[in-house]
Amino acid sequence: MLNIANFSKLYYTGDTLSPVQNRTLMKTEMFSSLRVIHGVAVRTALSVAVSVALATSFAAAPVDAFAKTSTSKSTKKLAKGAATAPQAKTVKSSKIAARSAKAEKGVKVAPIAAVQDDEVPRATRRHRVSYRMDAHGRRAAVRSVAFQPRPPTVGQAFGLHETPDSLALRSSVAYVVDQNTAETLFDKNSRAVVPIASITKLMTAMVVLDSKAPLTEDISVTDEDRDYEKFTGSRLSVGSELNREDMLHIALMASENRAAAALSRYYPNGRPGFIAAMNAKAKMLGMTDTHFENSTGLTSQNVSSARDLVKMVNAAYQYPLIRKFSTDRSYDVFTGKRNIAYNSTNALIRNPSWDIGLQKTGFINEAGECMVMQTTIHGRPVVMVLLDSSGKYSRFADAGRLRGFLETAGEPHITSADAGGGGT
């Protein structure tokens, strides 16, 4: 049989081939060509398969896998880094192996401390970047905002929260009196003079009603009614127009600041005359610890004591509109541009277990969470004052604690450490 080796031998020795050998040689050459073509096809198929497999693996690989690939220079740097790689990984691997072996034997082992960043080569550290996707699929960097704690209130600065009381109230000032007899039922720092925030609006309402200005008169909101001290917002945009009654309604029920500001500006003698009337009214009521600087309460210059605020609540209770507006749950107004639905700022108004005849809430950073109420507890009408409460809902919880105390105590009881003293 003629094969490649025999053909080579005949070729180099110069021997001639017989016809049969020639035909055999042709078949052999043809078979060799087919083998070559087959080999090329197999290699091509293998290359395609490998390319598909690599493409699939890269498509499924995380983005970090691409981050690990680098240029030749980076590879050289990593190689140098690998030569001096920290022994922490080796040690950690050996520790993990030892732990596994001990765990199989039932031996308790202590946890392994994590490798610190300082132990990892700088080239192998990962820096994570967070992104936020918008509606159109574009990437936008997420901004980090530094958290700033709320500054202390005036009561906290003067240590009023350190005054103990039997109910562990979150309010630094608490004062409850019988509305009919003026008996003190609960007293905690009632003489402390502190900011009162939007409780101011009770005095604002009394001055507006005392002016006898027509409640149907339209009042417009202007730039002068913006808050340029605290820079708070408002749902009443500049250009909104309501009548005086609606302005008063949302100022009392929803503590709308621009409504209160606009009411003071439309006073017969303007805003300065309105502030003068507020302080004159306070003096007439015997509120010797009280002073007002604006009609909204957004300034810490509006100050009073719990004892003075009882006098103000009793005076405001004599106005039927103040009782009605302050205790409404919700109210809708039309500003000339759109309808706005307002809700009460006092969560207790929506609680059917409470019988509230008048209320007002307030908050600024200096005053904390505040609330005054006229309510009936266990058949007894009382006036309740809670000032400088820490926590958004703590003033309502404190009111519940005081009500429970009055319902179970049976007799008037003074609990303040400074009751009857000079106070603060």
Side-chain angles (χ1 to χ4, degrees):
M1 181 177 180
L2 182 64
N3 53 29
I4 299 298
N6 294 334
F7 173 76
S8 300
K9 181 178 178 181
L10 291 172
Y11 178 81
Y12 285 108
T13 57
D15 296 336
T16 60
L17 300 176
S18 65
V20 175
Q21 289 176 330
N22 283 329
R23 287 193 298 273
T24 303
L25 180 60
M26 292 176 64
K27 291 181 180 179
T28 301
E29 290 177 349
M30 182 180 297
F31 178 74
S32 299
S33 300
L34 291 174
R35 289 184 61 187
V36 171
I37 293 172
H38 176 71
V40 171
V42 170
R43 286 193 297 273
T44 302
L46 288 174
S47 299
V48 172
V50 171
S51 300
V52 171
L54 289 174
T56 304
S57 62
F58 285 150
V63 179
D64 290 343
F66 293 96
K68 292 181 181 179
T69 61
S70 177
T71 60
S72 58
K73 293 181 179 181
S74 300
T75 305
K76 292 179 180 179
K77 290 181 180 180
L78 288 174
K80 291 181 181 180
T84 59
Q87 298 180 359
K89 290 185 178 179
T90 305
V91 174
K92 186 177 180 181
S93 300
S94 62
K95 287 184 179 180
I96 294 175
R99 283 169 57 86
S100 301
K102 290 182 179 181
E104 291 178 357
K105 296 179 181 180
V107 180
K108 294 183 178 180
V109 292
I112 300 175
V115 179
Q116 300 297 323
D117 287 343
D118 293 339
E119 300 174 2
V120 181
R122 186 176 298 276
T124 61
R125 294 182 187 175
R126 294 183 183 179
H127 301 281
R128 298 181 180 270
V129 179
S130 301
Y131 294 94
R132 181 180 61 225
M133 303 298 292
D134 64 11
H136 302 287
R138 294 173 295 191
R139 276 192 317 190
V142 177
R143 295 180 180 179
S144 60
V145 180
F147 171 75
Q148 292 183 351
R150 180 184 294 177
T153 65
V154 171
Q156 290 171 336
F158 283 93
L160 297 181
H161 279 271
E162 299 174 5
T163 303
D165 66 81
S166 60
L167 301 182
L169 300 179
R170 297 289 299 278
S171 304
S172 68
V173 175
Y175 191 49
V176 185
V177 300
D178 187 301
Q179 190 179 22
N180 292 332
T181 65
E183 291 179 289
T184 299
L185 308 177
F186 192 96
D187 188 326
K188 178 182 179 182
N189 294 323
S190 64
R191 289 183 172 85
V193 178
V194 293
I196 60 173
S198 287
I199 293 175
T200 296
K201 293 183 176 74
L202 287 178
M203 181 62 76
T204 299
M206 286 191 286
V207 172
V208 168
L209 294 174
D210 288 347
S211 71
K212 305 299 182 182
L215 296 179
T216 56
E217 180 184 358
D218 289 337
I219 294 177
S220 298
V221 176
T222 69
D223 281 327
E224 296 181 55
D225 303 320
R226 292 178 182 269
D227 172 23
Y228 293 103
E229 181 168 350
K230 303 291 186 184
F231 299 99
T232 57
S234 171
R235 300 177 67 190
L236 280 183
S237 60
V238 172
S240 297
E241 190 171 291
L242 299 174
N243 61 39
R244 183 174 277 105
E245 182 175 343
D246 284 347
M247 289 285 193
L248 186 60
H249 200 145
I250 60 178
L252 287 171
M253 184 197 74
S255 206
E256 175 57 70
N257 290 309
R258 286 186 187 171
L263 286 169
S264 69
R265 188 167 45 80
Y266 274 79
Y267 192 71
N269 296 322
R271 188 163 288 161
F274 191 91
I275 304 304
M278 292 177 72
N279 286 305
K281 181 79 171 179
K283 184 177 180 180
M284 184 190 71
L285 295 174
M287 301 171 64
T288 57
D289 297 326
T290 303
H291 178 75
F292 296 104
E293 284 290 332
N294 67 20
S295 61
T296 63
L298 289 173
T299 175
S300 59
Q301 304 281 330
N302 287 15
V303 297
S304 188
S305 65
R307 290 178 178 258
D308 273 8
L309 292 180
V310 167
K311 298 174 183 178
M312 187 169 75
V313 169
N314 279 326
Y317 190 76
Q318 308 305 314
Y319 296 76
L321 275 182
I322 296 180
R323 294 201 304 267
K324 180 182 184 301
F325 291 168
S326 70
T327 56
D328 267 358
R329 296 184 181 183
S330 61
Y331 187 67
D332 297 348
V333 296
F334 180 67
T335 66
K337 301 177 180 180
R338 62 191 180 103
N339 285 308
I340 304 179
Y342 284 97
N343 295 305
S344 175
T345 56
N346 193 332
L348 300 182
I349 290 294
R350 295 180 288 275
N351 188 334
S353 67
W354 281 87
D355 181 9
I356 300 173
L358 179 147
Q359 69 80 32
K360 189 69 196 78
T361 61
F363 169 79
I364 56 174
N365 285 332
E366 296 91 339
E369 305 284 347
C370 305
M371 180 174 64
V372 295
M373 286 194 306
Q374 187 283 335
T375 183
T376 301
I377 298 176
H378 206 57
R380 170 189 288 169
V382 299
V383 175
M384 185 181 298
V385 178
L386 293 166
L387 304 177
D388 188 25
S389 186
S390 56
K392 185 175 181 180
Y393 302 104
S394 57
R395 55 189 169 182
F396 306 130
D398 283 353
R401 295 184 185 98
L402 287 168
R403 186 178 73 165
F405 166 75
L406 296 177
E407 288 176 340
T408 58
E411 294 293 334
H413 185 59
I414 300 174
T415 61
S416 174
D418 70 342
T424 56

